[in-house]
Every structure is written in C-alpha cells, then in structure tokens.
Amino acid sequence: MSVATKTGDDGTTALMFNRRLPKHCPRVEAYGTVDELNAALGMARATGKADFVCDHVLKTQKDLVILMGELATHADDAEKFEKGGYERVTSEMTARLDEVVSEIEGQDITYKGWATPGYNEHSAALDVARTVCRRAERRVSELRETEEVSAEIIVYLNRLADALWLFARWVETKGET
C-alpha cells in the first residue's frame, strides 16, 4: 500500500476511525501542531549529548503519540477509541513532568529573566520545541472552545513547555558547552 493514498487531494484528512475533516479545521490544526512538536523534539534529541535530557525527551515523544491519537479522535468516536484499547493522556504523565521540573529547579541552574536561545545547538533545539509546544497548547485550547477535549491535554502541554525551557537552561549550564 502506498503512502500516497490521494484521499486528501480534496483538502480533507482522516481522523482515527476514518471520519474526514477539512485539513484546516481546529482539530487537525491541534494534532498537526503536536506532530510538529514531536518532530522538533526529535531534532533536539538528535542534536543532544546530555543523556539526562535526551532520555526525558524520548519518553515525552512517546507520550505525544498518545496525545495525538486522542486529539485525532472525534468525540463521536470516543467509544470506539475506548474499545480499541487506546491510551489517553493521564495525570501520571503530567506528574512525571512535574517531577523533572522539580528535579531541575533543585539544581544550581543559572538563569535570570528571559533566555536568549542559541547558546548551543541542543539548547536552541529545545527552545524551538518549547515554542512549538506553546503553539500546540494554544491550538488545543482553541479546539476546547468548540469541541470536547480532555483538560489533561492542556495541563500536560503547559507543563511540557515549562520542562523544555528548563531542559534548555540545564543544557546551557550543566550539560554541554
């Protein structure tokens, strides 16, 4: 089977369970932006040398696949999603981010006010991922105004952006020079 199905040639795309929506609709924008975030995290991981950060980033990328699946499911297909055994974003996933935020904040990280991205390739990639994460958070927040979306997704993305900012500062201070 070819990747080029040509079913999107009419400007629509399929959600999970084959429900079709316009490619510009808020749901597609939301999970598409999370997909961009996952790619940005892949770049951050590929350019990084700090195992502490790269290990957390890989766990996060796996979480984002779960998050995208949840966003790519229309509320009318929630029962199919549940019956299919698909995972949802959980408070435990967010708690893991809270733990890493606390861990980094407990270290001697030097930063004051705004950071200027670009200290090194790894921290710059983490800062790009952070800005994409904030955009994803805005897209999901916008989607929640008109459609059913788990509040935990917003909490997770908000916490992830905080963690990414701290990862970049950690790389600048402790990880790589």
Side-chain angles (χ1 to χ4, degrees), residues 38-58:
N38 205 352
L41 287 172
M43 181 61 77
R45 193 166 50 85
T47 61
K49 298 178 184 105
D51 288 343
F52 167 73
V53 174
C54 290
D55 291 347
H56 282 290
V57 167
L58 180 58

Tab-separated table of all heavy atoms in Angstrom, residues 38-58:
chain	number	residue	atom	x	y	z
A	38	ASN	N	6.543	17.010	18.106
A	38	ASN	CA	7.245	15.733	18.201
A	38	ASN	C	8.471	15.733	17.290
A	38	ASN	O	9.543	15.251	17.666
A	38	ASN	CB	6.297	14.583	17.869
A	38	ASN	CG	6.727	13.277	18.499
A	38	ASN	OD1	7.798	13.146	19.076
A	38	ASN	ND2	5.870	12.285	18.386
A	39	ALA	N	8.349	16.292	16.085
A	39	ALA	CA	9.484	16.379	15.171
A	39	ALA	C	10.569	17.304	15.740
A	39	ALA	O	11.766	17.000	15.646
A	39	ALA	CB	9.023	16.861	13.802
A	40	ALA	N	10.159	18.428	16.322
A	40	ALA	CA	11.127	19.347	16.929
A	40	ALA	C	11.857	18.669	18.087
A	40	ALA	O	13.071	18.853	18.266
A	40	ALA	CB	10.425	20.622	17.406
A	41	LEU	N	11.137	17.872	18.859
A	41	LEU	CA	11.778	17.126	19.944
A	41	LEU	C	12.750	16.084	19.390
A	41	LEU	O	13.808	15.829	19.981
A	41	LEU	CB	10.734	16.461	20.832
A	41	LEU	CG	9.971	17.407	21.743
A	41	LEU	CD1	8.826	16.669	22.432
A	41	LEU	CD2	10.896	18.044	22.763
A	42	GLY	N	12.395	15.490	18.260
A	42	GLY	CA	13.314	14.556	17.613
A	42	GLY	C	14.608	15.247	17.220
A	42	GLY	O	15.702	14.686	17.397
A	43	MET	N	14.513	16.464	16.717
A	43	MET	CA	15.711	17.226	16.379
A	43	MET	C	16.510	17.551	17.640
A	43	MET	O	17.741	17.441	17.650
A	43	MET	CB	15.325	18.506	15.636
A	43	MET	CG	16.513	19.353	15.234
A	43	MET	SD	17.664	18.508	14.123
A	43	MET	CE	16.762	18.639	12.598
A	44	ALA	N	15.821	17.933	18.700
A	44	ALA	CA	16.512	18.226	19.964
A	44	ALA	C	17.239	16.989	20.485
A	44	ALA	O	18.374	17.068	20.955
A	44	ALA	CB	15.514	18.744	21.001
A	45	ARG	N	16.600	15.848	20.372
A	45	ARG	CA	17.220	14.603	20.835
A	45	ARG	C	18.395	14.224	19.946
A	45	ARG	O	19.447	13.801	20.419
A	45	ARG	CB	16.175	13.486	20.880
A	45	ARG	CG	16.607	12.255	21.622
A	45	ARG	CD	15.421	11.348	21.912
A	45	ARG	NE	14.592	11.049	20.784
A	45	ARG	CZ	14.820	10.065	19.903
A	45	ARG	NH1	15.847	9.272	20.040
A	45	ARG	NH2	13.978	9.867	18.901
A	46	ALA	N	18.250	14.413	18.634
A	46	ALA	CA	19.308	14.046	17.687
A	46	ALA	C	20.540	14.940	17.834
A	46	ALA	O	21.655	14.499	17.564
A	46	ALA	CB	18.783	14.111	16.254
A	47	THR	N	20.344	16.177	18.236
A	47	THR	CA	21.471	17.106	18.379
A	47	THR	C	22.058	17.102	19.778
A	47	THR	O	23.078	17.736	20.015
A	47	THR	CB	21.046	18.552	18.034
A	47	THR	OG1	20.016	18.957	18.928
A	47	THR	CG2	20.586	18.662	16.597
A	48	GLY	N	21.413	16.394	20.702
A	48	GLY	CA	21.835	16.449	22.094
A	48	GLY	C	22.868	15.414	22.475
A	48	GLY	O	22.952	14.344	21.885
A	49	LYS	N	23.637	15.779	23.488
A	49	LYS	CA	24.630	14.870	24.046
A	49	LYS	C	24.327	14.549	25.511
A	49	LYS	O	24.967	13.690	26.094
A	49	LYS	CB	26.017	15.486	23.931
A	49	LYS	CG	26.453	15.727	22.501
A	49	LYS	CD	27.827	16.390	22.472
A	49	LYS	CE	28.208	16.711	21.053
A	49	LYS	NZ	28.095	18.120	20.742
A	50	ALA	N	23.392	15.245	26.092
A	50	ALA	CA	23.072	15.080	27.504
A	50	ALA	C	22.031	13.975	27.670
A	50	ALA	O	20.857	14.167	27.356
A	50	ALA	CB	22.554	16.397	28.082
A	51	ASP	N	22.476	12.818	28.152
A	51	ASP	CA	21.568	11.682	28.313
A	51	ASP	C	20.378	12.015	29.202
A	51	ASP	O	19.255	11.576	28.931
A	51	ASP	CB	22.308	10.472	28.882
A	51	ASP	CG	23.251	9.833	27.874
A	51	ASP	OD1	23.098	10.105	26.660
A	51	ASP	OD2	24.134	9.077	28.298
A	52	PHE	N	20.602	12.788	30.254
A	52	PHE	CA	19.526	13.164	31.174
A	52	PHE	C	18.369	13.795	30.398
A	52	PHE	O	17.206	13.427	30.577
A	52	PHE	CB	20.057	14.141	32.238
A	52	PHE	CG	18.991	14.817	33.044
A	52	PHE	CD1	18.283	14.121	34.015
A	52	PHE	CD2	18.690	16.160	32.835
A	52	PHE	CE1	17.297	14.746	34.761
A	52	PHE	CE2	17.708	16.787	33.583
A	52	PHE	CZ	17.011	16.085	34.541
A	53	VAL	N	18.684	14.723	29.524
A	53	VAL	CA	17.657	15.422	28.749
A	53	VAL	C	17.105	14.516	27.649
A	53	VAL	O	15.885	14.389	27.492
A	53	VAL	CB	18.218	16.732	28.153
A	53	VAL	CG1	17.207	17.382	27.222
A	53	VAL	CG2	18.621	17.688	29.263
A	54	CYS	N	17.990	13.861	26.915
A	54	CYS	CA	17.545	13.043	25.771
A	54	CYS	C	16.639	11.899	26.210
A	54	CYS	O	15.676	11.567	25.511
A	54	CYS	CB	18.749	12.523	25.002
A	54	CYS	SG	19.613	13.850	24.109
A	55	ASP	N	16.921	11.303	27.363
A	55	ASP	CA	16.062	10.227	27.870
A	55	ASP	C	14.660	10.747	28.177
A	55	ASP	O	13.659	10.107	27.841
A	55	ASP	CB	16.672	9.580	29.113
A	55	ASP	CG	17.930	8.780	28.816
A	55	ASP	OD1	18.213	8.506	27.628
A	55	ASP	OD2	18.650	8.443	29.780
A	56	HIS	N	14.576	11.913	28.798
A	56	HIS	CA	13.261	12.510	29.091
A	56	HIS	C	12.544	12.916	27.808
A	56	HIS	O	11.328	12.764	27.704
A	56	HIS	CB	13.407	13.702	30.038
A	56	HIS	CG	13.618	13.317	31.463
A	56	HIS	ND1	12.637	12.737	32.236
A	56	HIS	CD2	14.710	13.405	32.250
A	56	HIS	CE1	13.110	12.497	33.439
A	56	HIS	NE2	14.367	12.887	33.479
A	57	VAL	N	13.284	13.424	26.852
A	57	VAL	CA	12.673	13.833	25.586
A	57	VAL	C	12.083	12.625	24.874
A	57	VAL	O	10.965	12.691	24.348
A	57	VAL	CB	13.690	14.593	24.700
A	57	VAL	CG1	13.171	14.736	23.278
A	57	VAL	CG2	13.987	15.960	25.299
A	58	LEU	N	12.790	11.505	24.863
A	58	LEU	CA	12.261	10.301	24.207
A	58	LEU	C	10.970	9.833	24.884
A	58	LEU	O	9.993	9.493	24.203
A	58	LEU	CB	13.309	9.178	24.217
A	58	LEU	CG	12.870	7.866	23.557
A	58	LEU	CD1	12.466	8.071	22.104
A	58	LEU	CD2	13.988	6.834	23.675
